[in-house]
Coordinates of all heavy atoms in Angstrom, one line a residue:
Chain A
M1 N -18.7 4.3 -1.8 CA -17.9 3.1 -1.3 C -16.4 3.3 -1.6 O -16.1 3.7 -2.7 CB -18.5 1.8 -1.9 CG -17.9 0.6 -1.3 SD -19.0 -0.8 -1.6 CE -20.1 -0.8 -0.2
K2 N -15.6 2.9 -0.6 CA -14.2 3.1 -0.9 C -13.5 1.7 -0.9 O -13.7 0.9 -0.1 CB -13.6 3.9 0.2 CG -12.1 4.2 0.0 CD -11.5 5.1 1.2 CE -11.5 6.5 0.8 NZ -10.8 7.3 1.9
A3 N -12.6 1.6 -2.0 CA -11.8 0.3 -2.0 C -10.4 0.7 -1.7 O -9.8 1.6 -2.2 CB -11.9 -0.2 -3.5
R4 N -9.8 -0.1 -0.7 CA -8.4 0.0 -0.4 C -7.7 -1.1 -0.9 O -7.8 -2.3 -0.5 CB -8.3 0.1 1.2 CG -9.0 1.2 1.9 CD -8.9 1.1 3.4 NE -9.6 2.1 4.0 CZ -9.2 3.4 4.2 NH1 -8.0 3.8 3.7 NH2 -10.0 4.3 4.8
I5 N -6.9 -0.9 -1.9 CA -6.2 -1.9 -2.7 C -4.7 -2.0 -2.5 O -4.0 -1.0 -2.4 CB -6.4 -1.6 -4.2 CG1 -7.9 -1.4 -4.5 CG2 -5.8 -2.7 -5.1 CD1 -8.2 -0.8 -5.9
K6 N -4.3 -3.2 -2.2 CA -2.8 -3.4 -2.1 C -2.3 -4.2 -3.3 O -2.9 -5.3 -3.6 CB -2.5 -4.2 -0.8 CG -2.7 -3.4 0.4 CD -2.1 -4.1 1.6 CE -2.9 -5.3 2.0 NZ -2.6 -5.7 3.4
Y41 N -0.2 1.0 -2.9 CA -1.4 1.1 -2.2 C -2.3 2.1 -2.9 O -1.9 3.2 -3.2 CB -1.2 1.5 -0.7 CG -2.4 1.8 0.1 CD1 -3.3 0.8 0.4 CD2 -2.7 3.1 0.4 CE1 -4.4 1.1 1.1 CE2 -3.9 3.4 1.1 CZ -4.7 2.4 1.5 OH -5.8 2.6 2.2
I42 N -3.5 1.7 -3.2 CA -4.4 2.6 -4.0 C -5.8 2.7 -3.4 O -6.3 1.6 -3.0 CB -4.5 2.1 -5.5 CG1 -3.1 2.1 -6.1 CG2 -5.4 3.0 -6.3 CD1 -3.0 1.2 -7.3
E43 N -6.3 3.9 -3.2 CA -7.6 4.1 -2.7 C -8.5 4.5 -3.8 O -8.2 5.6 -4.4 CB -7.7 5.1 -1.5 CG -7.0 4.6 -0.3 CD -7.1 5.7 0.8 OE1 -7.5 6.8 0.5 OE2 -6.7 5.4 2.0
V44 N -9.6 3.8 -4.1 CA -10.5 4.3 -5.1 C -11.9 4.5 -4.5 O -12.4 3.7 -3.8 CB -10.6 3.2 -6.2 CG1 -11.6 3.6 -7.3 CG2 -9.3 2.8 -6.8
L46 N -15.7 4.9 -5.0 CA -16.6 4.5 -6.1 C -18.0 5.1 -5.8 O -18.4 5.2 -4.6 CB -16.7 3.0 -6.1 CG -15.4 2.2 -6.3 CD1 -15.6 0.8 -5.9 CD2 -15.1 2.2 -7.8
P51 N -22.2 -3.8 -2.6 CA -20.9 -4.4 -2.3 C -20.5 -5.4 -3.4 O -19.3 -5.5 -3.8 CB -21.1 -5.1 -0.9 CG -22.2 -4.4 -0.3 CD -23.1 -4.0 -1.4
A54 N -19.5 -3.6 -6.5 CA -18.3 -2.9 -6.3 C -17.1 -3.9 -6.3 O -16.1 -3.6 -6.9 CB -18.3 -2.2 -5.0
R55 N -17.3 -5.1 -5.7 CA -16.2 -6.0 -5.6 C -15.8 -6.5 -7.0 O -14.6 -6.6 -7.4 CB -16.7 -7.2 -4.8 CG -15.5 -8.2 -4.4 CD -15.9 -9.1 -3.2 NE -16.1 -8.4 -2.0 CZ -17.3 -8.3 -1.3 NH1 -18.3 -8.9 -1.8 NH2 -17.4 -7.6 -0.2
V58 N -14.0 -3.6 -8.9 CA -12.6 -3.4 -8.4 C -11.7 -4.5 -8.9 O -10.5 -4.3 -9.3 CB -12.6 -3.2 -6.9 CG1 -11.1 -3.1 -6.4 CG2 -13.3 -2.0 -6.4
C62 N -8.3 -4.0 -11.1 CA -7.0 -4.5 -10.7 C -6.4 -5.3 -11.9 O -5.2 -5.2 -12.2 CB -7.1 -5.3 -9.5 SG -7.4 -4.3 -8.0
F74 N -2.9 -8.8 -6.1 CA -3.6 -7.7 -5.5 C -4.6 -8.3 -4.5 O -5.0 -9.4 -4.5 CB -4.3 -6.9 -6.5 CG -5.4 -7.6 -7.2 CD1 -6.7 -7.6 -6.7 CD2 -5.2 -8.3 -8.4 CE1 -7.8 -8.3 -7.4 CE2 -6.2 -9.0 -9.1 CZ -7.5 -8.9 -8.5
S75 N -4.9 -7.4 -3.5 CA -6.0 -7.7 -2.6 C -6.6 -6.4 -2.2 O -6.0 -5.3 -2.4 CB -5.4 -8.4 -1.3 OG -4.6 -7.5 -0.6
F76 N -7.9 -6.4 -1.8 CA -8.5 -5.2 -1.4 C -9.6 -5.4 -0.4 O -10.1 -6.5 -0.2 CB -9.1 -4.4 -2.7 CG -10.2 -5.2 -3.4 CD1 -11.5 -5.1 -3.0 CD2 -9.8 -6.0 -4.5 CE1 -12.5 -5.8 -3.7 CE2 -10.8 -6.7 -5.2 CZ -12.1 -6.6 -4.8
V77 N -9.9 -4.3 0.3 CA -11.1 -4.4 1.2 C -12.0 -3.2 0.8 O -11.5 -2.2 0.3 CB -10.7 -4.2 2.7 CG1 -10.0 -5.4 3.2 CG2 -9.9 -3.0 2.9
L78 N -13.3 -3.4 1.0 CA -14.3 -2.4 0.6 C -14.8 -1.8 1.9 O -14.9 -2.5 2.9 CB -15.5 -3.0 -0.1 CG -15.2 -3.5 -1.6 CD1 -16.4 -4.2 -2.1 CD2 -14.8 -2.3 -2.4
E79 N -15.0 -0.5 1.9 CA -15.5 0.2 3.0 C -16.7 1.1 2.6 O -16.6 1.8 1.7 CB -14.4 1.2 3.5 CG -13.9 0.8 4.9 CD -12.6 1.7 5.1 OE1 -12.7 2.9 4.9 OE2 -11.6 1.1 5.6
T80 N -17.8 1.0 3.4 CA -18.9 1.9 3.1 C -18.5 3.2 3.7 O -18.0 3.3 4.8 CB -20.2 1.3 3.7 OG1 -19.9 0.8 5.0 CG2 -20.7 0.2 2.9
Chain B
K6 N 1.4 1.3 5.5 CA 0.8 2.1 4.4 C 1.3 3.5 4.5 O 1.2 4.1 5.6 CB -0.7 2.0 4.5 CG -1.3 0.7 4.1 CD -2.8 0.8 3.9 CE -3.5 1.0 5.3 NZ -4.9 0.6 5.2

Side-chain angles (χ1 to χ4, degrees):
Chain A
M1 185 159 274
K2 183 181 264 186
R4 300 179 183 276
I5 305 165
K6 289 190 292 199
Y41 172 69
I42 301 160
E43 288 179 354
V44 180
L46 299 163
R55 193 164 294 117
V58 174
C62 289
F74 65 89
S75 65
F76 62 88
V77 291
L78 290 173
E79 247 171 46
T80 43
Chain B
K6 288 191 290 198

